[in-house]
Amino acid sequence: GVVLAAFQFIELPIIQFLIQMNNACDVINNSRPTAVNLMWAIKQMRKLLVDTDIPENIVIPSPIRTWLIEDHAVYRTNLAEALDSHDSIECKHDFSSCEEAIEALRLASEADRPHVILVDLALPGMGGIEGIGHILGIDSSIKCIVVTVSENRRTVFDAISAGAGGYLLKDAPFDKIIDGIHEVIGGGASLNGHIAKMLLDAMPKSGAAGQDY
């Protein structure tokens, strides 16, 4: 309901923090986080919200230069055309592999670099999660959005932990992907509703909300 809708637009650093906390608890406890761990995480979230300076005036580029990494030729062509036909988005470069995109990124001038890259995960050669790491290593200002068929929990966590600014599924209409680009470029995180619920479900319901840890 309301909580799920809000979670889809929560600031990305907080989502990444929750995932990192969840992963650490999995390693330590070999289970889902305990109520104690969850309360600690809530305290850290509050600290992040208070201490983190969020820009009040985010400059939205026009057009939003968008690249696409997708090995399925038909889907890649159709999505690239849909993006490029939108008034606020320019999609002039699409690639069938991370290696091709990374090489093009290295050669591109700063003025030609994309603001957003849509990344599939199951790709020939380098996978999308590894590719995101390389992309952000070249230019950390680029927003990477995963567009894939995978709903695997660990894959979702790994992608967002790697720096993905959003996680969308390929069954989403193209206009939802366009909405996701605008959400991420505006400083938010774009998550498929099912994925957002998965992240929420990864956090257990605390029965000790009144206690201080």
Side-chain angles (χ1 to χ4, degrees), residues 100-171:
E100 293 174 353
I102 290 167
E103 181 62 21
L105 185 59
R106 288 197 179 103
L107 296 174
S109 66
E110 187 172 345
D112 291 331
R113 284 183 174 177
H115 303 107
V116 175
I117 299 182
L118 305 182
V119 186
D120 188 14
L121 295 184
L123 294 163
M126 184 186 298
I129 293 174
E130 182 182 354
I132 289 170
H134 285 280
I135 289 166
L136 297 181
I138 296 171
D139 188 339
S140 61
S141 70
I142 295 173
K143 309 297 184 185
C144 293
I145 303 176
V146 170
V147 182
T148 186
V149 297
S150 176
E151 302 178 58
N152 178 271
R153 175 187 167 191
R154 179 53 55 191
T155 301
V156 173
F157 281 17
D158 287 348
I160 296 179
S161 294
Y167 198 105
L168 302 173
L169 299 179
K170 286 186 179 178
D171 61 3

Side-chain angles (χ1 to χ4, degrees), residues 30-71:
N30 195 29
S31 64
R32 284 159 54 130
T34 64
V36 173
N37 292 326
L38 183 60
M39 292 307 296
W40 173 79
I42 290 172
K43 279 193 169 186
Q44 295 301 315
M45 284 176 61
R46 288 173 180 162
K47 185 175 186 299
L48 280 171
L49 286 169
V50 171
D51 296 346
T52 302
D53 292 328
I54 299 173
E56 294 183 1
N57 299 311
I58 297 176
V59 178
I60 305 299
S62 180
I64 303 169
R65 290 191 301 275
T66 303
W67 289 10
L68 173 60
I69 307 175
E70 166 62 56
D71 64 323

Side-chain angles (χ1 to χ4, degrees), residues 5-15 18 45 49 187-191:
F7 189 83
Q8 294 180 60
F9 300 99
I10 194 170
E11 289 298 320
L12 182 60
I14 298 173
I15 296 176
L18 281 173
M45 284 176 61
L49 286 169
S190 179
L191 298 174

